[in-house]
């Protein structure tokens, strides 16, 4: 349970850091004066579930990443499966997979 909490904490702190930076940029660069489509993608990217530097999962944590839904194709599976195992192009984009289906 402790390992899971450390992982969630790292993800949430990274997301919080990215979002506070985005809000600062939003006002600093006056994005509110622009069309929403010009900056909406940047906010969506900031909300992604990823660890990108600021806060890391402790080395003593026993968790090992198997699937990274922020990565496309074979790279998403950390070398555990090959290109020939992916069903078709729709499944090469991990954002298309419903997490509820993979949990069963």
């Amino acid at each position: 349970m402790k390992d899971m909490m450390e992982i969630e904490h790292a993800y949430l702190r990274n997301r919080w850091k990215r979002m506070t930076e985005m809000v600062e940029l939003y006002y600093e660069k006056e994005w509110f004066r622009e069309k929403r489509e010009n900056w909406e993608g940047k906010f969506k990217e900031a909300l992604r579930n990823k660890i990108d530097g600021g806060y890391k999962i402790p080395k003593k944590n026993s968790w090992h990443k198997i699937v990274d839904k922020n990565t496309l194709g074979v790279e998403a599976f950390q070398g555990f499966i090959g290109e020939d195992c992916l069903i078709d192009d729709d499944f090469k984009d991990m954002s298309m997979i419903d997490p509820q289906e993979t949990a069963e």
Side-chain angles (χ1 to χ4, degrees), residues 21-104:
E21 290 170 358
M22 291 300 300
V23 169
E24 288 172 8
L25 283 173
Y26 179 78
Y27 288 105
E28 197 176 288
K29 295 190 176 192
E30 297 186 352
W31 285 347
F32 53 86
R33 299 186 189 277
E34 298 179 20
K35 289 185 178 179
R36 182 178 178 171
E37 297 83 30
N38 295 346
W39 49 263
E40 188 173 31
K42 295 174 184 169
F43 274 95
K44 284 184 180 179
E45 181 62 31
L47 284 171
R48 291 194 81 167
N49 224 4
K50 63 182 179 180
I51 296 178
D52 56 1
Y55 303 97
K56 303 274 186 198
I57 297 171
K59 298 262 187 229
K60 65 182 190 291
N61 192 298
S62 61
W63 174 79
H64 296 284
K65 186 187 304 186
I66 296 173
V67 177
D68 182 357
K69 291 187 176 184
N70 292 312
T71 310
L72 301 177
V74 171
E75 294 82 27
F77 298 97
Q78 314 298 313
F80 289 108
I81 66 167
E83 182 81 30
D84 54 324
C85 293
L86 297 179
I87 298 171
D88 57 29
D89 288 337
D90 288 341
F91 288 96
K92 290 180 183 176
D93 178 3
M94 290 300 294
S95 64
M96 302 283 291
I97 297 176
D98 182 2
Q100 294 300 323
E101 290 177 18
T102 57
E104 295 174 357

